[in-house]
Amino acid sequence: ARAGSASEGLVAAARAAALTWLPAVALLALNQLRVRQCTPGTGLAFMLLGPGFGVLLAAFVGAAFAAALRRPRWAMLLGVLAPMAGLGTALHDFWATPAIFVFQHFAGWFPGTLYDEGLAVPGTLITFRGITLLYLVAAASAATAFRGRKPSWGALALLALGLALRLDAAGPSLGHASSVEAIDEALGRVERGEECVVHLPRELRPDVRARLVADCDFRVRHAEALLGVDRRAPVHAFFYRSVEEKRRWMGAASTYIAKPWRGEVHLQLRGWPHPVLAHEIVHVVAGEAAHGPFRVAGGWWPNPGFVEGIAVAVEWPERDGMNPHQQARTLLESNRLPPLERLLSLGFLGESSRVAYASAGSFVRWLGETRGWDVVRRAHDAGDVSAAGLDLGTLEPAWRAFVADVPLPGGARELAELRFHRPSIFARTCPHLVAQLRSALQGDLRAGDDAAALATCEEILAIEPADLFALRTEVAALARAGRLGEAEGRLEALAEGAPIALVTQAREAVADALWVAGRNAEARARYEALLAETQTEDAARNREVKVLGTRDPDAGDAIRDLLVGPGGRQESAPLPLHHAWRIAEARPDGLGPYLLARQLWLAGRLDLARDALADAERRGLPTERLRREAFRLAGVLSFAAGDHEMSRARFEAAVEDPVVRREAEDWLARLDDASRHAADPGASR
């Protein structure tokens, strides 16, 4: 307002913006003396494209108000209110649309999720800031027009403002915004069930669509029954074709997301039954027992420990053959079980996600089983157990005593060591760059370029020496390159400090390389030794088939190409189907049809998979693990085919097997739900 001309006022505004912005940048730069920063250029780019543009726009808008209004106090008030209003619109967009990302001209860009590590400057942020430039031109032109009484500058201001508003209105098509309508247009189909509205790709076959809808309906009813709530509106489940499409339309790539206040879950397609749908559905159903604008634990002050704990407690998943109680015991024994005060607060975010989810899920499940699920609902709503008349100081020793007595399956501690090895994203060095390098490493492996893979492994390990994926891949690449002595040396170094399960995986990679090189006897000896090690049921079954392959002169090449790939490189469909068919032709037993059934399962042809599996069981399978898995898989395929009687018979027998008991119980619950619904369609409510 005191400037002698419009240009002087704008220069003063720009100077004020720079003085607002620079201290934060300087602080971040100085922080590099304390914490390693691998991509300072990217960090600076984010600061320029985020708050750099934001403070400059705020200053220019303030200058325009100062030029337009004779009363400085009014100009100052409007200059403050304008960016505040911008922040308000950003919060509204987050609340009122499916997107978890937000683009706002004053506030910048909020990507929306902590767990998607491969974060880089997106092209959408650059195009968005192109629109911000138009607002800057409009504000500067308006200031010039008002101060100098120049109509031509006013016309330019109106032109720039109109164009910017028009481009903002096209936000969904430019990737700057999202809406249900835009997502439905991109996916192409909406199917309505009794509990769910499912938004999915138009090209999915009718049987696949029907299974997704039925799966969603069951998961809603199951969560309602356990939590004792009744959801009044349908759940909207969005299934995207890929992580890229999901990132484009709602902001999260690999991370699965629920928006309880909107009754939405967002996932990418991952087979049937979907492995994460149950967890995300619980978030929405639990929203019926929560208050506040986001319908999550704690209401206005969300408690992430209860948010995720209740979802794990109701879903009750098994990982590596262990449920969350068993995982919590392994954490307790290794002194890594977080205290409840940290777990049920924002401290949850400072823990490794796997540690935090398993621990919180164990506690909430124990609370529900010992104190009642009505207590869980009250504690979840408030985000505090004191709302249910309880005290963490009393609950913690009781929960830990319970966890200490939970029985563990064989090898649980070794498998847990690998599962919980990775620290929180906040405790790792340069997680975004490492994630990008891991993606590049995957590309090297797909291309079969072991030299490039080794170079990428070196880059990753220079940043994060304990990166398990890079360590395992390095051993495998050295072995495939014929540098067996170096691979063995790396194995010895790994054995000194890495988790046992990781060392086992690396040893298998060396055996794979020997098999690819035609050294079958050496590979077989290594596979047989690995079968005595701690491992998951899936890994043991896979190694048994590899042993069979190294012994089979007729089907061995096909088994190797299917499980390891020619030259150690995995192939994409339909070649695995071809290899499985070759095995079925070459062997009289049921191994070939079994492997064919699994490939057909992965391809989504459950009807054909059931026929192949029946052929495998008729022929007979060569190991007990294969027979157990075929028995389980036949129960799943029978359910998919509508043969519920056969499915129930399988799972009632399987529930006696501790290896598959949890999954069998889940399928029996699904069968009970289907029976109730068939007898009385209104029973779902």
Side-chain angles (χ1 to χ4, degrees), residues 435-449 453 456 460 469 472-473 569:
Q436 292 164 25
L437 288 171
R438 283 201 198 101
S439 178
L441 182 54
Q442 293 280 14
D444 297 336
L445 296 176
R446 284 192 295 270
D449 190 342
T456 307
I460 295 173
F469 178 56
R472 184 175 67 244
T473 303
R569 179 171 57 184

Side-chain angles (χ1 to χ4, degrees), residues 259-514:
K259 278 195 162 186
W261 64 96
R262 289 181 54 81
E264 294 176 355
V265 298
H266 296 264
L267 316 99
Q268 58 264 25
L269 291 167
R270 274 190 58 187
W272 173 85
H274 194 285
V276 188
L277 176 62
H279 181 97
E280 301 305 328
I281 288 289
V282 177
H283 284 309
V284 176
V285 174
E288 297 297 319
H291 68 283
F294 300 113
R295 310 290 293 179
V296 296
W300 288 90
W301 188 253
N303 184 322
F306 265 114
V307 169
E308 297 300 342
I310 198 169
V312 174
V314 175
E315 177 200 8
W316 207 237
E318 280 198 353
R319 303 284 185 265
D320 299 330
M322 290 181 286
N323 63 39
H325 284 331
Q326 294 166 322
Q327 293 171 5
R329 176 174 172 180
T330 65
L331 291 168
L332 179 66
E333 292 182 350
S334 61
N335 293 318
R336 296 185 62 190
L337 187 65
L340 288 179
E341 185 177 0
R342 176 172 174 78
L343 196 61
L344 301 178
S345 68
L346 290 178
F348 177 94
L349 301 175
E351 296 287 341
S352 160
S353 60
R354 289 181 173 181
V355 169
Y357 277 56
S359 304
S362 171
F363 171 72
V364 175
R365 182 82 175 198
W366 170 82
L367 190 66
E369 291 173 339
T370 60
R371 304 301 195 274
W373 288 96
D374 58 325
V375 169
V376 170
R377 288 197 305 273
R378 295 201 301 275
H380 172 267
D381 181 31
D384 191 339
V385 295
S386 63
L390 300 172
D391 175 65
L392 283 183
T394 304
L395 292 174
E396 179 142 21
W399 169 57
R400 286 176 173 258
F402 165 79
V403 166
D405 287 336
V406 171
L408 291 178
R413 295 170 181 85
E414 292 82 0
L415 292 171
E417 184 184 7
L418 178 60
R419 178 167 184 78
F420 298 126
H421 181 79
R422 201 176 191 196
S424 161
I425 186 172
F426 298 111
R428 299 205 304 275
T429 302
C430 307
H432 299 309
L433 177 59
V434 171
Q436 292 164 25
L437 288 171
R438 283 201 198 101
S439 178
L441 182 54
Q442 293 280 14
D444 297 336
L445 296 176
R446 284 192 295 270
D449 190 342
D450 287 325
L454 285 170
T456 307
C457 285
E458 288 181 10
E459 288 188 71
I460 295 173
L461 294 173
I463 299 169
E464 197 169 312
D467 186 273
L468 303 184
F469 178 56
L471 288 168
R472 184 175 67 244
T473 303
E474 183 184 40
V475 172
L478 285 169
R480 284 194 300 270
R483 297 158 61 179
L484 193 59
E486 292 180 63
E488 295 284 11
R490 294 287 198 281
L491 271 177
E492 290 180 11
L494 275 179
E496 293 178 1
I500 294 173
L502 171 69
V503 178
T504 302
Q505 293 174 8
R507 288 169 57 195
E508 182 175 19
V510 174
D512 290 343
L514 290 170

